[in-house]
Each structure stands twice: as structure tokens, then as C-alpha cells.
Amino acid sequence: RTPDARCRPRLFAVRSQGVASSDLTQSLSGADTAHVDVRLRDDELAPGTAVGRYVIVELVGNGSGGAVYAADDPELARRVALKVLHRAAGPDAHARMMREARAMARLSHPNVVPVFDVGTHEGRVYLAMELLEGATLRTWLAKRRSRREIVRAFLEAGRGLSAAHAAGLVHRDFKPDNVLVGLDGRIRVTDFGLARAVTHT
């Protein structure tokens, strides 16, 4: 495969059962890969690289702070999205990733992308999440949609945010790029890296 073929724009994918097919791709960073810089980087992880218990399958998206890969979880026989910080990421980026993991791990809601695991690989923080097939809300809205479809999408996103708030979290970076629309039509909110804990009175 040529670099162009490997890094073509991809869609999001969620697979919770079994190992997904090789064409399932997704950027768990919350940005559709059609809007993400997916050029190869010096610190890109090659297919077959072990990151914790996960095995890299292919690059999905590449941003300024980190890359997202489709990866296999041999222990549970499933494919996940693995978000890995770049080597050059500083302590602030590591802290944001850990905040994202802790924030999302506290949530269990159909309109929030779930986190499976967090760890470090050669000093780089990684986050394992459900692999999602679909697109960002921004890309989804670029096509003609009925008023009913749009209202439903925002209501579902609002339910995800409400669940986060009920868990004591404020997203602080809610935007169409951080909302995913699955092929099943269900809305999932993602990218809680800037989430802030709140105290209810």
C-alpha cells in the first residue's frame, strides 16, 4: 500500500462485538479524518507494533498532539481505536489525556463514546476507546438533512452532555468535531480532554 492509500480520509466506527473488518476506521480524537492532518510522521507506529496489550493495525488520523490507530485487542478479540500522544507532547498534553480517560471512564451512556483502557507506551500516554464507524457531526451536517434529523441529533448530543454533567463533569470543548454520528444514526459525544469536575450544591 502506498502512503496515500494508507492515509486516505476515513470514517468513524464503533464495534463492541468481535474483531472488526480491516476497513473499519475512526478518529477517536473527535475530529473526522477528512479534517485531520493524516500525513505520515516520524513517530508513527507501524502496523504490528505492540502498545500495551494492543496491536496496531493501521493509522486512522494524525493531529498535532497525537495519532489515532485502529488496533486489535487479542485478549478480548475485538478492534479498538487507540489514541496515542506524539513523542514531542509535553506534560500538559499528558495531563489532558489522563483527564480525558478519567472523565470518560466515569460515564456510561449511549450518547457518550466509552473508554476501555489507558496506559503508557515508551513514555507516551495512550487511550483505548470503542471503534466507531460513521462521521463527525460537522461532516454529517454538511449533507442536506431534515429539520427532524437535525433536532434529533442535537437532542441526543444534549443527553450525552447532560449525563456528563450528572457525573460531575463539564465538557468545555463541545463542538461538531467532538460529536460522532454512527452508521446506526446514534450520536456520541467524545473528546473530554478539557473536562472539568464540578461540585453540585
Side-chain angles (χ1 to χ4, degrees):
R1 286 169 93 182
T2 65
D4 288 343
R6 293 185 66 239
C7 297
R8 64 186 182 280
R10 304 283 191 162
L11 297 179
F12 296 96
V14 167
R15 289 300 171 97
S16 58
Q17 73 285 354
V19 175
S21 60
S22 60
D23 62 342
L24 294 178
T25 52
Q26 136 92 224
S27 167
L28 255 287
S29 63
D32 189 334
T33 50
H35 300 88
V36 172
D37 177 8
V38 293
R39 291 173 296 179
L40 299 181
R41 301 177 63 100
D42 292 339
D43 62 356
E44 177 190 340
L45 299 175
T49 301
V51 178
R53 77 185 200 215
Y54 308 98
V55 180
I56 298 296
V57 175
E58 64 178 334
L59 177 70
V60 172
N62 212 338
S64 59
V68 178
Y69 302 86
D72 283 334
D73 179 352
E75 291 187 17
L76 295 180
R78 65 182 175 186
R79 187 155 291 177
V80 302
L82 205 64
K83 183 176 179 179
V84 185
L85 287 182
H86 293 314
R87 289 194 182 95
D92 288 347
H94 285 253
R96 282 195 300 272
M97 179 82 92
M98 294 303 296
R99 279 201 305 272
E100 179 177 0
R102 293 187 183 111
M104 296 186 72
R106 291 166 61 182
L107 297 175
S108 178
H109 190 275
N111 298 123
V112 176
V113 174
V115 165
F116 297 144
D117 192 15
V118 65
T120 58
H121 170 72
E122 297 180 350
R124 302 160 68 182
V125 177
Y126 66 82
L127 185 64
M129 305 172 72
E130 201 167 14
L131 196 63
L132 183 67
E133 191 171 18
T136 64
L137 183 61
R138 183 183 300 280
T139 298
W140 185 84
L141 288 170
K143 295 184 179 180
R144 189 175 184 84
R145 306 289 177 184
S146 70
R147 182 177 301 176
R148 181 183 297 273
E149 287 179 302
I150 294 171
V151 170
R152 178 197 59 79
F154 278 91
L155 281 174
E156 289 192 15
R159 293 188 186 107
L161 290 176
S162 179
H165 191 262
L169 298 169
V170 175
H171 192 292
R172 297 208 300 172
D173 193 26
F174 181 75
K175 57 188 178 182
D177 286 332
N178 288 339
V179 179
L180 313 183
V181 186
L183 290 185
D184 58 0
R186 181 153 52 96
I187 302 298
R188 284 90 156 175
V189 179
T190 189
D191 207 344
F192 281 76
L194 297 179
R196 177 173 61 87
V198 296
T199 301
H200 297 291
T201 57

